[in-house]
């Protein structure tokens, strides 16, 4: 089996979700340190222009977005599962809802504490190329009360779910939903002073947070971007046998030219030829002049697929 290669950077909260996923499954993986903002000259050809982080690479198969990376890891390494006690549907649905609801409010809380430390080029990239909003402290400060309302409301149901002292959301075993809720908590607790626990109401979750953190990051080994690119160039994409070639419920057919675009932010379309799809995943083929043939995988939730 090809090595698991994660393109990520240390302070990326969505990357932390996948790093802890490796820990839950006790996996060995290769770690490619990636700049927080483009240009990423050796990664962009692999993704067709998709600019968000993290990206999982398995040979010449490229997985974009954590909500397709986790199912891919589950398929490749089924045990221990991300979905204990038949929780897959709830875990996947609530993970998507959690991230959509809490992402900008979480940034608002972080900006309150450290927004004046963000480099100017980082702020400019997030405004012009990624989020479409100014995340500087001065710009975010007026909305802090509203951001805190969203954070407290969202964390209220998580605290209620854990109120009976269960170790994890679904009971005794950690799940994909624990990883999702942990990663935004990690973003606040990693980057803010201890006062954030009081401001954002995180203190009652400290025990749960520590249990998820103790899952660790598996066994990473560093890899350069050049080495990862060479792996893709030398490999051939794996046929997606877990999907039907013409299983798309909206009628898209294998062989069609399509574009796939995030529907919320970083809306860079990725073009290719449809390989296979269903209601949860789409795989497109791209040929890069240097990297060769690639399969790029996206989740359906959060992405728009349009026939060219």
């Amino acid at each position: 089996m090809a090595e698991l290669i994660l393109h990520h950077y240390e302070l990326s909260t969505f990357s932390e979700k996948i790093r802890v996923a490796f820990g839950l499954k006790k996996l060995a993986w290769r770690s490619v340190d990636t700049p927080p903002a483009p240009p990423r000259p050796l990664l962009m050809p692999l993704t067709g222009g998709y600019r968000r982080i993290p990206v999982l690479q398995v040979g010449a198969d490229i997985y974009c977005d954590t909500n397709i990376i986790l199912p891919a890891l589950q398929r490749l390494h089924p045990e221990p599962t991300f979905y204990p006690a038949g929780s897959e549907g709830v875990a996947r649905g609530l993970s998507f809802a959690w991230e959509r609801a809490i992402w900008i409010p979480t940034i608002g809380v972080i900006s309150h504490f450290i927004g004046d430390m963000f480099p100017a080029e980082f702020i400019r990239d997030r405004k012009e190329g990624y989020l479409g909003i100014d995340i500087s402290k001065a710009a975010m400060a007026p909305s802090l009360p509203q951001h805190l309302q969203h954070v407290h409301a969202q964390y209220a149901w998580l605290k209620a779910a854990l109120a009976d002292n269960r170790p994890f959301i679904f009971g005794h075993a950690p799940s994909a939903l624990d990883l999702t809720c942990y990663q935004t908590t990690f973003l606040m607790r990693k980057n803010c002073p201890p006062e954030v626990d009081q401001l954002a109401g995180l203190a009652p979750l400290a025990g749960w947070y520590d249990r998820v953190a103790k899952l660790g990051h598996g066994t990473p080994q560093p890899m350069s971007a050049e080495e990862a690119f060479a792996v893709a160039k030398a490999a051939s994409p794996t046929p997606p046998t877990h999907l039907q070639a013409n299983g798309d419920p909206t009628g898209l057919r294998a062989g069609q030219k399509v574009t796939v675009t995030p529907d919320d932010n970083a809306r860079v379309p990725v073009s290719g030829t449809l390989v296979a799809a269903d209601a949860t995943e789409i795989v497109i083929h791209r040929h890069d002049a240097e990297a060769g043939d690639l399969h790029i995988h996206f989740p359906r939730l959060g992405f728009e697929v349009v026939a060219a």
Side-chain angles (χ1 to χ4, degrees), residues 125-209:
D125 173 74
R126 269 27 186 186
K127 181 178 180 180
E128 297 176 359
Y130 192 170
L131 295 173
I133 61 173
D134 187 340
I135 64 169
S136 66
K137 184 171 183 176
M140 297 290 276
S143 299
L144 179 63
Q146 289 73 36
H147 290 150
L148 286 172
Q149 288 178 30
H150 288 297
V151 168
H152 280 277
Q154 195 70 11
Y155 276 94
W157 75 253
L158 178 59
K159 286 183 277 191
L162 297 165
D164 60 359
N165 295 317
R166 65 182 65 193
F168 301 102
I169 295 172
F170 292 113
H172 291 286
S175 71
L177 186 56
D178 290 282
L179 304 183
T180 296
C181 297
Y182 167 82
Q183 59 110 342
T184 49
T185 317
F186 162 85
L187 188 62
M188 289 186 278
R189 298 191 94 204
K190 179 74 173 179
N191 292 287
C192 301
E195 301 93 274
V196 73
D197 279 0
Q198 181 65 32
L199 185 69
L202 305 178
L205 297 169
W208 164 82
Y209 179 90

Side-chain angles (χ1 to χ4, degrees), residues 1 25 46 55 74 76 80 87 106 117 120 124 132 135 168 214 245 274 276:
M1 182 180 295
K25 288 187 176 288
L46 301 185
V55 170
Q74 177 67 19
L76 296 170
S87 63
T106 298
M117 302 178 192
R124 182 169 57 253
I135 64 169
F168 301 102
K214 285 178 182 177
L274 180 64

Side-chain angles (χ1 to χ4, degrees), residues 1-7 18 22 43 46-47 50 52-76 237-243 281-284 294-299 303:
M1 182 180 295
E3 290 183 300
L4 302 171
I5 302 170
L6 188 70
H7 301 260
I18 303 305
F22 289 142
L43 179 59
L46 301 185
T47 65
Y50 175 83
R52 299 197 295 203
I53 295 294
V55 170
L56 177 69
Q57 176 187 346
V58 185
D61 282 84
I62 310 298
Y63 296 86
C64 299
D65 194 279
T66 63
N67 290 312
I68 203 62
I69 294 174
L70 287 185
L73 291 175
Q74 177 67 19
R75 187 174 66 255
L76 296 170
T238 302
T241 54
H242 62 290
L243 299 174
E281 180 177 356
I282 185 163
V283 184
I284 65 172
L294 303 160
H295 280 178
I296 308 178
H297 302 245
F298 298 93
F303 287 78

Side-chain angles (χ1 to χ4, degrees), residues 96-109:
F96 181 80
W98 175 276
E99 289 167 352
R100 282 297 173 97
I102 201 70
W103 180 226
I104 297 301
T106 298
I107 293 173
V109 172

